[in-house]
Amino acid sequence: VGAPSEEEFSVLAQQVFIRAAASLGAPKLATLARGRVVSGRVHDGWLELDALTRAEAGCADVPHSAHILIDGSTLGLGPLLRHVGAIAPCGTPARAVYASPVACSFRRGAAVLNAPREGAVSIGNMGPGSTVWGFPLGDWLQLDERKGWLHMLDI
């Protein structure tokens, strides 16, 4: 059995706590607001944050791991994170899901990003009325004929 794959989640709750360990009793390191996208590996109902997410949340200098509880239903909180999908290194998994790309048209312009996450670097733009071909993955579209990602909310 290989190592667990990186997964991406969106924060559903008004806020979630990043903790120093996968335990409700572990110290709180930071909070994240609704809509924030986080990534890492899932272990026993907790998301262990990857280095980039830790850095974006201000936890890069913490000498131990950082975790977020995925579902707080047993505490009366309901789901805290919504699964977006597996992270596609170089886009390979997104292409593997679909036999061929799908067409998407833009009503307004959109930035082409270097990675499927909020805050990624813009590497180009699509103008209003553009049609592109790509492979959907969660809330993102991996472009078919050129490298890059578009956020589906921009389409």
Side-chain angles (χ1 to χ4, degrees), residues 115-153:
R117 66 171 50 256
E118 297 295 333
V121 176
S122 176
I123 58 173
N125 289 298
M126 302 302 298
S130 299
T131 298
V132 296
W133 292 84
F135 298 88
L137 179 66
D139 292 338
W140 297 90
L141 180 73
Q142 180 189 14
L143 299 180
D144 183 36
E145 294 188 19
R146 58 191 248 199
K147 294 180 181 177
W149 295 82
L150 296 167
H151 197 261
M152 296 288 247
L153 296 179

Side-chain angles (χ1 to χ4, degrees), residues 4 22 41-48 67 70:
R41 298 182 190 281
V42 175
H43 298 282
D44 299 322
W46 291 80
L47 181 67
E48 181 179 4
H67 298 77
I70 295 171

Side-chain angles (χ1 to χ4, degrees), residues 1-71:
V1 176
S5 64
E6 293 271 324
E7 300 288 327
E8 194 166 59
F9 290 80
S10 175
V11 176
L12 281 177
Q14 189 72 26
Q15 71 174 6
V16 294
F17 295 115
I18 298 175
R19 295 189 178 266
S23 166
L24 293 173
K28 297 172 190 169
L29 303 174
T31 59
L32 295 177
R34 179 181 294 151
R36 208 44 208 277
V37 176
V38 295
S39 57
R41 298 182 190 281
V42 175
H43 298 282
D44 299 322
W46 291 80
L47 181 67
E48 181 179 4
L49 303 179
D50 63 14
L52 180 59
T53 300
R54 286 176 62 189
E56 290 173 346
C59 300
D61 296 333
V62 176
H64 44 72
S65 59
H67 298 77
I68 299 174
L69 182 63
I70 295 171
D71 189 343

